[in-house]
Amino acid sequence: MGAGGYLGVDRSLTGRAWRERAIDQRTALALCQRLGVPEIMGRILAARGVSPEAGDGVLDPKLRALMPDPSVLRDMDAAAARLSAAILAGETVGVICDYDVDGVSSAALLLRFLEHAGVRALAHVPDRMTEGYGPSRKGVESLAGQGAALIVTLDCGANAVEALAHAAALGLDTVVVDHHLEGAHRPPALALVNPNRRDDVSGLGHLCAAGVTWMLLAATTRELRRRGFWRERAEPDLLAALDLVALATVCDVAPLCGLNRAFVQQGLKVMGKRANPGVAALADVARLKRAPDTHALGFMLGPRLNAAGRIGHALTALRLLATADRGEASKLAHELEELNRSRQQIELRVLETAAAEAERIIEHDGARGLVMVAGENWHPGVLGLVAGRLAERHHMPAFALGFATGAAQAAGSGRSVPGVDIGRAVHAAAEAGLLVKGGGHPMAAGLTVERARLPELRAFLSERLTAGTAAVAAARPLDIDGAMTAAGATPPLIEMIERAGPYGAGNPAPVFAFPAHRVVYADLAGSEHIRLTLENEAGARLKAIAFRALNTPLGEALLAERGRPVHVAGRLAIDTWNGGRSTQLMVDDAAEVPG
């Protein structure tokens, strides 16, 4: 350990250099003076690019101020007009969505809206095992056979050229609501509402599909108002639906900036009121005892919803989010809880094999910008999770692909690290003819490839990703917002810091260093985590937890360093367990104290 990093840490227990997060001191001071906040808040805001003029809007984001006219999105007016026409004519509307949280949240938003408008709606969620991602001929024919005149695709459809051409041949209109990158050919839809289509200039490419869906509902509500539809019935309360938008935004790892940040902050308030029976029941089975936050959405509620699409059927998750019946919601939430437990067991089995294969490949061939593993009979529902774990472990993009026994094709998922766009790389591979199909966005992708072309695909992606991966690896420090002691980490301070949240992708949570604190207690919590207590020189103590640290250098050191001073870095939160209210540190890293 040299002396170049923050507190002299240039190589921590996770292999990172610590550095003070760069800020403009004058901006930080101006923020303190303008907002009347302590120095640490000025530093936090300045480090995240907040100007003094924008400070009020960050600490108290108003959706009204940040919400653009939905018409800025290409094809939005055409989509709202067609959906309004269907409602006015009493047509049956078919809905096709993806099987992840963003997809089923988007579908629940639309289904609840259509129910409020008195319209018959049919939902088709593709089966991951038999249909794969997105609209299919089977799905289109099923909805047409049940009387749908209009099909709306949500969180899918941007590349469904063949399926939507089939819908057109059957006489169906289609509206696509998506946020994934376009392929070479645009599907023949009446409207394609996608902030990431090549000719969209709205600047809203950071929205997830649920955010775009909510804007479609706002535009449709306005259009129906213009046509007099709401004269005899109450307009829907779209603000009350922001809990689903917040859930999808966090679980889809959309950047928490601009409109997304307002969506999530307002959505968390809505969720705290427990008005949606499905979300409330899900929180209960997840044993969420505190006010919902981004961590709860991403790591407690999201995995349970995703479990349905991974090893069951995502229709269960959609029914949960769309139901108004609390009894049905409780039943469905418990079904998801059981599916999630099964998913965890399957994931661990596949991860063990995949991790060993990844280590073998890296040792033999080197990583070359990505990790790609493939195995026989790996459950397709957990491959995205496995890829995510490998990306986290090796700090680079990772792909996990599965073959059925004797199959000629492999299908699977990729997950990336911040700063490396795998969606574009997968699209390039598809356009180069290397894939049967594939698509995604910067942090996640799905693909299908012929078994014989797997080495060629690995080489192609390696060429595309190596430079970006190397750049990210070279700049992988841990940014520290400031130093603190156990005595200074108080609930009132944390409450003030949380005003600059919610934190997540695009708005990183503040990280604080606790210099030379002794580990006075450390023990296993659950199957992967380590719970500990830190103490400063004056005897003030701070509870802490290191998630998924077992059997890592960080975890081993924390367990072994009892009684010895260590530098610890992490994020602060308020722990309300059993009705209490205390400070807890989420440990990100630690380093030995020299001497």
Side-chain angles (χ1 to χ4, degrees), residues 68 72-74 194-196 199-205:
V72 301
L73 284 157
R74 178 75 102 183
N194 181 350
N196 287 307
D199 57 351
D200 186 280
V201 294
S202 66
L204 296 172

Side-chain angles (χ1 to χ4, degrees), residues 86 92 105 131 153 207 226 250 299 373 390 459 554 595:
T92 296
S105 297
E131 291 180 76
T153 72
L207 295 183
R226 188 184 68 81
V250 172
F299 295 96
V373 294
L390 294 177
L554 173 62

Side-chain angles (χ1 to χ4, degrees), residues 87 108-121 229 233 322-325:
I87 292 170
L109 283 167
L110 181 55
L111 292 177
R112 292 164 73 94
F113 181 88
L114 293 172
E115 181 182 21
H116 181 85
V119 172
R120 178 175 180 245
F229 181 75
R233 69 176 71 217
T323 187
D325 185 293

Side-chain angles (χ1 to χ4, degrees), residues 78-91 93 150 220 223-224 227:
R82 182 62 185 90
L83 187 56
S84 296
I87 292 170
L88 289 165
E91 294 177 330
V93 179
L150 167 68
T220 303
E223 177 65 15
L224 289 170
R227 300 190 188 192

Side-chain angles (χ1 to χ4, degrees), residues 4 49 84 96 101 107 109 196 220 235 241 244 246 265 294 333 355 383 494 574:
S84 296
I96 299 176
V101 174
L109 283 167
N196 287 307
T220 303
E235 289 194 14
L244 295 181
Q265 186 172 86
T294 55
L383 294 180
I494 298 170
I574 294 177

Side-chain angles (χ1 to χ4, degrees), residues 328-470:
E328 182 185 23
S330 178
K331 175 179 176 291
L332 292 169
H334 280 89
E335 288 181 21
L336 290 179
E337 180 70 8
E338 291 303 314
L339 284 171
N340 191 52
R341 289 173 182 166
S342 298
R343 184 274 305 167
Q344 289 171 329
Q345 295 171 357
I346 295 169
E347 179 191 349
L348 285 174
R349 289 197 295 269
V350 176
L351 179 61
E352 183 177 4
T353 306
E357 175 68 5
E359 295 288 353
R360 186 193 66 77
I361 291 173
I362 291 172
E363 182 178 351
H364 185 265
D365 297 328
R368 298 181 183 177
L370 76 158
V371 175
M372 180 177 286
V373 294
E376 301 285 343
N377 294 318
W378 288 354
H379 195 296
V382 301
L383 294 180
L385 296 170
V386 170
R389 290 294 188 100
L390 294 177
E392 180 181 302
R393 183 173 301 183
H394 297 287
H395 313 299
M396 65 179 68
F399 292 82
L401 308 175
F403 297 97
T405 301
Q409 296 180 351
S413 298
R415 296 292 184 269
S416 196
V417 294
V420 183
D421 187 341
I422 62 171
R424 291 193 182 280
V426 169
H427 274 282
E431 292 176 1
L434 293 174
L435 301 178
V436 176
K437 61 179 179 178
H441 52 78
M443 292 296 292
L447 55 88
T448 301
V449 59
E450 296 288 345
R451 182 189 292 258
R453 306 202 74 173
L454 192 56
E456 190 179 355
L457 173 65
R458 182 183 282 113
F460 180 91
L461 293 177
S462 175
E463 182 179 353
R464 287 269 173 165
L465 298 174
T466 294
T469 300

Side-chain angles (χ1 to χ4, degrees), residues 2 14 30 33 122 134 184 206 216 317 363 365 383 405 414 462 531 589:
T14 64
Q33 294 172 340
L122 306 168
H206 58 293
L216 171 61
E363 182 178 351
D365 297 328
L383 294 180
T405 301
S462 175
R531 193 177 301 280
D589 204 356

Side-chain angles (χ1 to χ4, degrees), residues 67 113 137 228 240 285 497 511 559:
M67 176 75 176
F113 181 88
R137 291 175 67 96
V285 299
I497 292 170
V511 175
L559 290 170

